[in-house]
Amino acid sequence: MNMKQAIFGGKLFQAATLALLMTGGAAHAALVTIPSSSLQSSPGKYTAGGYYTDTLGPNIVTTGGGNAANVGNATGRNDDGYMALSLGFDVTFFGTTYNSLFINNNGNVSFGAGISAFEPTGPIGVSAPMISPFFSDVDTRNSASGVVHYNLTANQLVVTWDNVGRYNTLGAPTDSFQLVLRGDDYVAPTGEGLIGFFYQTMGWSASQTNTVAAAGFGDGAGEGQVLEGSLATDLHLVLQNKYIWFDANLDVVDPGQVPEPALLSLMGLGVLGAGLASRRKRAA
């Protein structure tokens, strides 16, 4: 019996404890909820299926993790593994600038440390800064499951959990979702941002260890924001065939917002710098 199996009986207690913390006290005050009405329809926006890009890149090869991390396995199939990745560009997140991160199998990326946690306590429930398009107990060991891919280019990383299954070695139904992360110097086109979540077919939120999932951001010290429906049942139904962009300050980008003509010449010069300064100020 592995550690994950051994503590399965304590999952309901952990979830109940978290629920109490989230409905009263400091944890509640530290959490911002992003309205689900901010989500936009994804199919046909950038690709037919709903991803930002269909160029997924190679699969991850885990460098560490927890249960069945399968470190070094060329197929990328694992349960609670993660992969360290050097970005080649800077990303400022909650006031700290990073040039590397960890791609975690369980639906998120983190800074400073890999995360093997599989119980979706939300992005504020882990000890490292986290960007989480869909934090749940992903398990890609079943041959009917896809794996996690990454496409790293100049100033942009795209991570795709493509048709992934769930614990314990379960295949269909699967989830397909994608994270776009851009560097501090990236000048985003109108209607886009520096962080994007993209969702195609989403078949599950629950696994054999949990009944909920979460999407959002956390600073690793209790501050964060989550999409409405996180830590409740059926988040996958809220997210299916949707997308959302966030700016440098982690505010939702209105896809229909068009700058005033007089401001267009200023966008490449001052607006990006102001956004980054605001991002650092907010995180301080």
Side-chain angles (χ1 to χ4, degrees):
M1 178 180 293
N2 58 44
M3 180 62 68
K4 186 167 188 175
Q5 294 168 331
I7 66 175
F8 174 75
K11 294 300 179 183
L12 292 178
F13 174 77
Q14 293 174 9
T17 302
L18 177 72
L20 290 173
L21 290 172
M22 298 296 288
T23 55
H28 178 73
L31 186 68
V32 175
T33 300
I34 305 160
S36 59
S37 58
S38 302
L39 295 162
Q40 306 294 321
S41 178
S42 61
K45 176 62 179 179
Y46 296 96
T47 66
Y51 282 157
Y52 173 72
T53 177
D54 286 331
T55 304
L56 306 187
N59 62 258
I60 65 169
V61 176
T62 54
T63 57
N67 179 64
N70 291 347
V71 173
N73 189 310
T75 69
R77 296 193 180 279
N78 75 98
D79 181 21
D80 296 330
Y82 52 74
M83 184 185 82
L85 181 67
S86 177
L87 293 172
F89 56 84
D90 290 340
V91 173
T92 301
F93 187 62
F94 284 104
T96 301
T97 300
Y98 306 90
N99 57 23
S100 64
L101 51 65
F102 292 82
I103 299 175
N104 304 312
N105 199 59
N106 287 329
N108 51 76
V109 302
S110 55
F111 299 95
I115 299 295
S116 61
F118 52 88
E119 176 70 14
T121 54
I124 68 166
V126 295
S127 58
M130 172 185 283
I131 301 173
S132 170
F134 193 76
F135 182 7
S136 195
D137 198 356
V138 175
D139 186 339
T140 61
R141 292 175 292 170
N142 190 302
S143 61
S145 168
V147 294
V148 183
H149 298 260
Y150 68 102
N151 179 2
L152 180 62
T153 56
N155 231 12
Q156 179 174 277
L157 171 67
V158 179
V159 183
T160 308
W161 290 259
D162 190 49
N163 291 305
V164 293
R166 64 204 189 282
Y167 186 80
N168 184 11
T169 323
L170 300 176
T174 60
D175 285 343
S176 294
F177 55 99
Q178 191 171 73
L179 165 67
V180 179
L181 177 63
R182 292 165 166 172
D184 290 345
D185 295 332
Y186 194 105
V187 180
T190 301
E192 297 186 8
L194 298 187
I195 300 174
F197 297 167
F198 292 81
Y199 305 91
Q200 293 194 158
T201 300
M202 299 291 289
W204 61 272
S205 292
S207 74
Q208 291 185 359
T209 56
N210 62 277
T211 59
V212 297
F217 310 99
D219 69 349
E223 299 282 340
Q225 55 191 76
V226 296
L227 276 162
E228 182 180 4
S230 294
L231 302 177
T233 57
D234 296 333
L235 176 62
H236 63 292
L237 298 180
V238 175
L239 301 177
Q240 179 165 266
N241 294 327
K242 302 293 185 181
Y243 80 94
I244 188 169
W245 283 110
F246 301 91
D247 65 15
N249 202 36
L250 302 183
D251 292 324
V252 175
V253 175
D254 181 354
Q257 184 175 2
V258 178
E260 294 294 329
L263 296 179
L264 290 175
S265 63
L266 299 177
M267 290 186 65
L269 299 175
V271 174
L272 180 64
L276 294 175
S278 175
R279 188 178 185 178
R280 293 186 178 96
K281 181 177 180 181
R282 176 179 174 178

